[in-house]
């Protein structure tokens, strides 16, 4: 729940920022000189890119949460079997062991979105965020029966 609140607050702050930046872009364009119009258009492009990025990330998170809820209802969420240090951090060797198990599971069932979801969690636990995201994107695509790129 804390992560959802943090995400919502961050998204709200970004939207406010995009509105402020957009209003400055409009003011620059209204100035009317060639230079300020060019700067105004450039400034307006930034909020558009930011809104697109925020939208895509929000969609990704919603779809991943839907998969997690479905997997939880089936009783298929990965069990936390990671060893932790006294401070609560995940033990690297433990994360590597679980990752190897999840990778083998995925290689046995490459078209099963559930195994890709569990692999994404293992990547995340191993602090490999880019691969975790790619694995989750693949899980989402498989669940939605969309074409999957290798």
């Amino acid at each position: 729940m804390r992560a959802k609140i943090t995400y919502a607050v961050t998204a709200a702050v970004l939207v406010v920022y995009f509105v402020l930046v957009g209003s400055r872009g409009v003011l620059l364009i209204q100035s009317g000189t060639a230079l300020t119009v060019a700067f105004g258009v450039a400034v307006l492009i930034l909020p558009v890119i930011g809104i697109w990025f925020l939208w895509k990330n929000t969609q990704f998170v919603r779809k991943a949460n839907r998969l997690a809820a479905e997997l939880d209802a089936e009783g298929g969420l990965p069990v936390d079997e990671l060893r932790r240090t006294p401070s609560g951090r995940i033990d690297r060797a433990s994360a590597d062991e679980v990752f190897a198990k999840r990778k083998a599971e995925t290689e046995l069932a490459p078209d099963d979105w559930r195994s890709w979801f569990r692999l994404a969690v293992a990547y995340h636990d191993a602090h490999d965020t880019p691969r975790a995201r790619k694995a989750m994107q693949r899980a989402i695509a498989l669940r939605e029966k969309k074409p999957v790129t290798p």
Side-chain angles (χ1 to χ4, degrees):
M1 188 62 172
R2 188 171 137 187
K4 288 181 182 182
I5 292 170
T6 302
Y7 188 83
V9 169
T10 303
V13 168
L14 281 172
V15 169
V16 169
Y17 174 75
F18 296 150
V19 168
L20 290 173
V21 170
S23 68
R24 297 298 178 236
V26 170
L27 288 174
L28 284 169
I29 291 171
Q30 288 175 344
S31 294
T33 67
L35 185 63
T36 59
V37 169
F39 277 141
V41 170
V43 167
L44 283 177
I45 290 172
L46 295 174
V48 170
I49 293 170
I51 288 169
W52 173 83
F53 183 75
L54 183 61
W55 175 254
K56 295 301 276 182
N57 277 311
T58 302
Q59 291 300 100
F60 173 77
V61 168
R62 290 179 65 214
K63 289 176 181 181
N65 285 339
R66 238 181 280 137
L67 291 187
E70 186 174 337
L71 204 54
D72 186 29
E74 295 174 357
L77 278 179
V79 177
D80 186 1
E81 51 192 298
L82 298 168
R83 291 185 305 277
R84 300 183 189 281
T85 64
S87 66
R89 293 182 182 227
I90 294 172
D91 178 59
R92 181 74 177 172
S94 176
D96 290 343
E97 289 171 21
V98 172
F99 172 77
K101 190 178 357 175
R102 299 292 181 231
K103 185 175 181 191
E105 174 188 318
T106 304
E107 288 170 351
L108 290 173
D111 295 328
D112 182 17
W113 68 266
R114 293 164 186 85
S115 63
W116 282 98
F117 182 95
R118 289 187 281 268
L119 180 64
V121 172
Y123 271 127
H124 176 72
D125 291 341
H127 300 288
D128 191 346
T129 305
R131 287 190 179 130
R133 189 171 183 87
K134 288 285 186 188
M136 188 61 73
Q137 287 170 339
R138 189 175 189 107
I140 291 168
L142 286 168
R143 177 65 183 96
E144 293 177 349
K145 296 178 178 34
K146 291 184 178 176
V148 178
T149 55

